[in-house]
Amino acid sequence: MGLAVYWYDFVCFGIVGIAFLGALYVIWRREGAGKCDDTTMYESLVVTRPDMDGYYAASGVTPIGHVSSTQLWTSCWLGLHPIWLFGLRFASFLITSGFLAWDILEYGSSIFVYYTEWTFTLVIVYFAIGTIVSAHGCMVYYSKKLPASENGQKEELLRRDVESTLAIGVKEIRGTIKLQSHYDQEAIQQRAGFWGYLMQTAYQTCAGAVILTDLVFWCIIVPFLSNAHLELNMLMGCMHTLNAVFLLLDASVNGLSFPWFRLAYFVLWSCSYVVFQWVIHACGYSMWPYPFLELSSPWAPLWYLCLAVVHIPCYGLYSLLIRAKNSIFSRFFPQAFVE
């Protein structure tokens, strides 16, 4: 075994283990237990839930956290064509992929021992899925747009469908049902599906990971830990800047939610990276990409505890930006912005 283990290293193992199991518990409780709450329900990424979309369409009330398929590719700005979001995601995918390719050509595949490259790759995966989903959404958008003369017929057909649904099984629903266009009703009725939730989870995971990566790089590594191997250059500066820039640009126009409980996926992501470091060092790899991950230091438990705790403000900072977007834009642009 190429890794020397000291007694205080077991504290580090315990910190990572508790974080990993805690994250799994949160995911199981919020996405795997199959509970249905009218105010806080999230469609499950792990377990398929009963089809509740008929209830949502008939009641006109969509629970917080319900993600429709159109929410993945439409914008929070009214009147903004879906093709603009598609163009942004596709351009982000191409540019980030180009920088990752440059990074690999410059330093070789061994560069993936760094958390930066893990996170940068996850950002690319998000934009790749987002590009495909947006492309599909544009096709759906064009196929569902109808001439004005057909709108009345579609609304009449929709009214009959809703009335028949009420007659069959939703007698307890009260209040007035607001009729919408066929396109709007389908936006409520269609769930995101597995790939849609995978896209949303990738978005929320890389959001926290990008904040953590850039803060550690610019606030710790550059000022205090720079050496010949970590020397700042244009490529490294771009890798630790563009990831956040493109993600924030996407966040400024997309309509995705940002629930707090999916911090658990961010924690699992970081724990997986730390375990990966332990494994390769046990197999004989000698260089620690980040000095604060070294297990040979007596200060290692403190470093690991700080790294575990810092996940909360990193995820919280991005969540705060999303809340600020919803609050500020809805106040200044009430006719154009949809929270």
Side-chain angles (χ1 to χ4, degrees), residues 164-338:
S164 63
T165 300
L166 287 173
I168 291 174
V170 198
K171 296 181 180 179
E172 69 275 10
I173 296 176
R174 300 291 184 267
T176 303
I177 300 175
K178 183 179 179 181
L179 293 178
Q180 299 175 337
S181 68
H182 185 65
Y183 174 78
D184 290 335
Q185 282 292 341
E186 284 193 344
I188 297 175
Q189 291 177 353
Q190 295 177 356
R191 286 179 297 182
F194 175 80
W195 287 104
Y197 288 103
L198 187 62
M199 169 186 164
Q200 186 174 240
T201 302
Y203 166 65
Q204 291 150 353
T205 303
C206 62
V210 161
I211 298 295
L212 176 61
T213 299
D214 293 357
L215 285 179
V216 168
F217 181 79
W218 292 110
C219 298
I220 297 178
I221 294 178
V222 172
F224 304 110
L225 301 176
S226 294
N227 53 43
H229 194 71
L230 296 172
E231 185 178 358
L232 179 63
N233 54 39
M234 178 181 174
L235 175 59
M236 294 185 67
C238 291
M239 291 281 289
H240 293 86
T241 305
L242 293 180
N243 52 6
V245 169
F246 286 123
L247 210 58
L248 290 174
L249 282 175
D250 186 84
S252 67
V253 294
N254 72 35
L256 297 177
S257 59
F258 202 81
W260 253 100
F261 79 89
R262 285 190 177 136
L263 164 69
Y265 288 104
F266 173 31
V267 173
L268 288 180
W269 179 257
S270 297
C271 288
S272 300
Y273 173 77
V274 172
V275 172
F276 165 75
Q277 287 295 323
W278 291 346
V279 170
I280 63 175
H281 279 80
C283 294
Y285 191 80
S286 59
M287 194 264 307
W288 287 93
Y290 303 103
F292 41 78
L293 290 181
E294 288 190 32
L295 292 174
S296 60
S297 171
W299 295 98
L302 181 60
W303 275 114
Y304 274 76
L305 180 61
C306 291
L307 288 173
V309 172
V310 81
H311 280 67
I312 298 175
C314 285
Y315 193 87
L317 177 59
Y318 201 94
S319 178
L320 185 63
L321 292 174
I322 300 298
R323 289 177 177 269
K325 178 194 82 168
N326 292 333
S327 176
I328 296 173
F329 289 164
S330 61
R331 182 178 305 174
F332 287 98
F333 308 101
Q335 303 301 322
F337 182 80
V338 180

Side-chain angles (χ1 to χ4, degrees), residues 42-54:
Y42 283 86
E43 294 289 346
S44 177
L45 179 67
V46 181
V47 177
T48 302
R49 293 182 184 277
D51 189 359
M52 296 287 290
D53 293 325

Side-chain angles (χ1 to χ4, degrees), residues 33-85:
K35 294 183 177 180
C36 180
D37 189 304
D38 286 343
T39 58
T40 60
M41 191 195 80
Y42 283 86
E43 294 289 346
S44 177
L45 179 67
V46 181
V47 177
T48 302
R49 293 182 184 277
D51 189 359
M52 296 287 290
D53 293 325
Y55 175 84
Y56 302 154
S59 66
V61 178
T62 304
I64 298 173
H66 175 83
V67 180
S68 65
S69 59
T70 54
Q71 193 176 345
L72 300 169
W73 50 266
T74 53
S75 173
C76 57
W77 296 96
L78 291 175
L80 186 66
H81 198 285
I83 201 168
W84 289 102
L85 185 56

Side-chain angles (χ1 to χ4, degrees), residues 81-136:
H81 198 285
I83 201 168
W84 289 102
L85 185 56
F86 164 76
L88 173 61
R89 286 171 171 170
F90 185 50
S92 301
F93 168 73
L94 290 179
I95 295 172
T96 51
S97 297
F99 273 96
L100 183 62
W102 180 12
D103 194 31
I104 296 174
L105 290 174
E106 184 76 17
Y107 298 105
S109 59
S110 62
I111 196 67
F112 281 96
V113 298
Y114 286 93
Y115 188 78
T116 296
E117 277 63 32
W118 278 47
T119 300
F120 209 83
T121 302
L122 183 62
V123 172
I124 294 174
V125 169
Y126 163 69
F127 282 123
I129 299 176
T131 298
I132 297 172
V133 169
S134 290
H136 172 73

